[in-house]
Amino acid sequence: MSDDDVDHELQALLRAHFGLGPGDPNAPPETKVLENAEHIYNNSYDVALDMRHTKLAALEIHKQMQEREYSTKTWSEHELHPKAKDANTVNFIFTMDLLNFSFWSEKAEEERFAVSYKEKRWTGYWSLVAALQRALDEDIPITSPEFWVNEEECSEEKLKHVFRSETDEEIPMFEERVKCLREAGQIIEEEFDSSVTTLIEDAKHSAAGLVNLLAERFPCFRDEAKFEGKKVRLLKRAQIFVADLWAAFEGEGYGDFNDIDKITMFADYRVPQILHSLGCISYCPSLEHRIRRFELLESGKSWELQIRGCSIWAIELLRREIVKIQPDAKVNAILIDFFLYDLAKERELAGDNDDIPHHRTRSIWY
């Protein structure tokens, strides 16, 4: 071979090593969320993680999860979550996670958006679940993609009725929720034979594959941004859809995924709040001051991305510490996220005023 000849095999190996050119079509799907979260963590200068507190928190979290026998069954045990293991539950979960964003309010608890259902008052995430259940009880097919694209039957007036509040505050970002329903309904109709189950089947039992499919085909699930010159994927709602399927179906049927542990925590505002109270995460003075003053952080900007990315990495470090404590522990980022979210809500209901407020960001991503 002369000096001018090209060694195509060596060239292909080098391009593959440095991530250039097309990837291996037979390689298992990867969401890149954890990899991108590590990039954010490594380049964060306003948000930091504390390994000593992370180790201590891992001990306590592991202990409490064992005491409560925390597992996928915990998801279905909540009175509002669907119990059936069928296509109707798939549609319910898809609708729920399509609209699962931005429920925080600056109003007092008694004045904020709330849904009355079965003689109880529901706020936050649970207000959405209650509204969907209430609509189905009223024979409104709110979980049907075919309904969403029928603007005559699924009018804005009908949707305002579905999401009606018992207070004067309406559901936040109502117009954005309508847009998500219309857009997703059209895509499911055109690309997946009007069936959410077809969408799931196309992922071939891969959790990462389903997350990527959602991000690729549905703009309203494409939770991405740029941080320090690199595109980063956070994909909160796409990942939580997969996690909710896995939990609702207890890893079987529509919830059967062969790579479920590739799903990270769901980067929102409640888990960073509890991570801060546990001492796992800390903020620079100017950022902490802004959060404590309830000032908005703009979606996709550095501070907000540092909080979200470092939270994903913090949960991964907690998971690793728990596995060190008990190598055969059946724990992943999903269960830790679910547990910490429930813990945050418990502390809120108990009136624990020592916690930092959650950061304020208005967006469809969480």
Side-chain angles (χ1 to χ4, degrees):
M1 184 172 69
S2 71
D3 291 341
D4 295 329
D5 291 334
V6 176
D7 186 334
H8 294 288
E9 185 177 350
L10 176 60
Q11 185 183 64
L13 285 170
L14 288 170
R15 291 179 69 82
H17 176 74
F18 291 107
L20 303 172
D24 180 359
N26 298 315
E30 299 291 342
T31 69
K32 297 189 180 298
V33 174
L34 189 60
E35 173 189 319
N36 293 166
E38 185 178 19
H39 167 74
I40 294 173
Y41 166 70
N42 286 336
N43 292 278
S44 287
Y45 36 85
D46 298 309
V47 179
L49 302 184
D50 185 309
M51 282 309 302
R52 178 175 173 274
H53 280 93
T54 297
K55 290 176 184 291
L56 294 172
L59 286 168
E60 185 60 29
I61 290 167
H62 179 54
K63 176 186 171 186
Q64 289 195 37
M65 290 180 77
Q66 285 187 310
E67 289 174 353
R68 301 186 191 198
E69 298 181 346
Y70 209 85
S71 70
T72 54
K73 292 182 184 295
T74 309
W75 191 96
S76 296
E77 287 170 357
H78 195 282
E79 61 185 290
L80 287 182
H81 278 158
K83 306 295 182 284
K85 300 190 187 305
D86 56 20
N88 290 329
T89 291
V90 170
N91 286 344
F92 189 98
I93 293 172
F94 185 82
T95 310
M96 183 176 76
D97 290 327
L98 184 64
L99 303 176
N100 184 3
F101 55 84
S102 199
F103 296 102
W104 59 270
S105 173
E106 297 292 7
K107 294 184 179 293
E109 181 66 23
E110 64 275 8
E111 297 176 343
R112 65 178 298 186
F113 171 73
V115 169
S116 292
Y117 180 63
K118 291 194 172 179
E119 300 180 350
K120 287 188 179 180
R121 183 179 185 274
W122 305 95
T123 58
Y125 159 76
W126 294 113
S127 65
L128 169 65
V129 188
L132 297 179
Q133 294 286 18
R134 182 178 64 184
L136 293 175
D137 288 353
E138 295 173 348
D139 294 323
I140 300 171
I142 188 58
T143 60
S144 168
E146 292 174 327
F147 177 65
W148 307 336
V149 296
N150 187 333
E151 295 191 32
E152 187 174 333
E153 288 188 22
C154 184
S155 62
E156 285 202 13
E157 290 72 23
K158 179 64 68 70
L159 290 172
K160 283 181 179 178
H161 173 77
V162 168
F163 299 113
R164 65 190 182 275
S165 175
E166 70 167 33
T167 70
D168 290 336
E169 183 177 46
E170 296 183 350
I171 189 170
M173 303 184 79
F174 173 77
E175 291 78 12
E176 288 81 355
R177 294 179 204 277
V178 174
K179 181 181 178 182
C180 285
L181 286 172
R182 305 275 194 234
E183 177 187 90
Q186 184 175 356
I187 293 167
I188 291 171
E189 183 178 64
E190 294 176 355
E191 300 188 32
F192 301 100
D193 300 324
S194 298
S195 171
V196 180
T197 58
T198 298
L199 165 68
I200 295 167
E201 289 162 359
D202 281 2
K204 298 179 174 60
H205 298 286
S206 170
L210 183 51
V211 168
N212 290 342
L213 194 56
L214 287 166
E216 176 189 339
R217 304 292 180 85
F218 297 82
C220 61
F221 278 109
R222 201 172 297 143
D223 179 10
E224 301 173 342
K226 265 202 169 182
F227 182 76
E228 295 295 311
K230 178 177 178 177
K231 184 178 85 169
V232 291
R233 311 180 90 207
L234 298 159
L235 304 180
K236 186 262 183 176
R237 290 189 298 106
Q239 289 202 109
I240 205 170
F241 172 59
V242 174
D244 284 345
L245 283 175
W246 176 68
F249 290 88
E250 296 182 42
E252 299 179 353
Y254 293 115
D256 177 15
F257 298 104
N258 55 36
D259 56 352
I260 192 63
D261 290 345
K262 288 183 178 179
I263 302 301
T264 71
M265 68 82 78
F266 321 115
D268 61 1
Y269 38 74
R270 281 299 181 189
V271 174
Q273 180 188 30
I274 193 72
L275 286 171
H276 186 278
S277 71
L278 293 170
C280 300
I281 197 168
S282 61
Y283 307 133
C284 72
S286 54
L287 174 55
E288 179 159 340
H289 179 71
R290 189 159 185 172
I291 293 171
R292 290 191 181 277
R293 288 175 61 88
F294 304 102
E295 295 177 5
L296 282 174
L297 300 185
E298 190 174 348
S299 178
K301 297 302 182 182
S302 181
W303 272 351
E304 190 240 7
L305 292 175
Q306 288 182 63
I307 292 173
R308 297 183 75 198
C310 287
S311 296
I312 294 172
W313 194 244
I315 297 299
E316 172 62 14
L317 296 179
L318 282 169
R319 185 197 65 78
R320 293 179 185 182
E321 288 300 320
I322 291 173
V323 172
K324 285 182 186 176
I325 297 165
Q326 184 182 336
D328 62 344
K330 293 182 179 179
V331 65
N332 57 22
I334 297 170
L335 289 175
I336 297 172
D337 182 289
F338 283 171
F339 175 78
L340 290 179
Y341 178 87
D342 289 346
L343 183 62
K345 296 301 288 184
E346 286 174 15
R347 292 172 71 134
E348 182 182 50
L349 289 172
D352 192 334
N353 296 320
D354 293 333
D355 290 350
I356 193 172
H358 66 75
H359 69 277
R360 264 62 175 171
T361 297
R362 281 285 183 217
S363 79
I364 69 168
W365 306 127
Y366 62 99

